[in-house]
Amino acid sequence: MRTSTLIASGGAEDLSALLAAETAAVAIVVQGHGFSVLREAVRQLVRAERRVIVEARDFFDGWLIDPEHALEVVLTAAEAGAETVLLHDTAGALWPDQVGEIIASVAETGVPLGFGCPEDGGSAAKQLFAADAGAGLVQGSYAVVRGGLDRADSPSVHSAETGIAPVPCPRLEQSMSAQTAIGGVR
């Protein structure tokens, strides 16, 4: 808990509540808001000296329909001052390698990226592909710290219950060393 960061989370319409929460970091959920609303919300939070993570819900569905528009969301958030743009696979319909390919394409912009997905059978694999492709923040299943960040393990399926050992992941440690908070407390 010494390295955890409490994160207030809400949409652009919750801006007053996000500011009133007085947390050091804020996750602003973007889902169907216009670029000007996103830009202004991020700018206000940054002016209030908050670390801002933009959580782009339905990002991958949007990417499959219109990659240029989806990329504009990422660039708008970054230009407004967001520290990280978390690309969320809300529907959970993509294969892990597809997630990795898309994140690798978006990572070429240089914008610090994160990845989130629902807790389903493929979430750990998607998170590993996302981290390998350039996501520095992974939300959903959390990395387990046991003398160092070296394993990925879903909180809903513990190795003691299943008899399956967590997956060794030294690459995850490298990708996430710059981030001290993984996921967020809501």
Side-chain angles (χ1 to χ4, degrees), residues 73-158:
V73 170
V74 172
L75 295 173
T76 298
E79 289 167 0
E83 181 178 302
T84 303
V85 180
L86 190 132
L87 310 178
H88 206 279
D89 181 22
T90 311
L94 295 178
W95 290 98
D97 61 329
Q98 291 174 300
V99 167
E101 289 170 11
I102 293 169
I103 288 178
S105 292
V106 178
E108 291 177 9
T109 64
V111 173
L113 301 175
F115 172 74
C117 65
E119 288 294 326
D120 61 12
S123 63
K126 289 177 184 181
Q127 291 158 359
L128 293 173
F129 270 83
D132 192 50
L137 178 75
V138 177
Q139 179 188 54
S141 296
Y142 301 97
V144 177
V145 177
R146 293 187 188 144
L149 188 57
D150 64 351
R151 297 178 185 271
D153 190 11
S154 169
S156 60
V157 181
H158 299 286

Side-chain angles (χ1 to χ4, degrees), residues 12 15 28-45 52-56 70 72-82 85:
L15 188 58
I28 187 161
V29 179
V30 176
Q31 193 170 20
H33 299 298
F35 294 117
S36 60
V37 173
L38 169 61
R39 185 179 297 110
E40 186 54 32
V42 171
R43 284 181 178 164
Q44 283 189 41
L45 291 164
V52 179
I53 297 169
V54 170
E55 186 175 338
E72 193 173 347
V73 170
V74 172
L75 295 173
T76 298
E79 289 167 0
V85 180

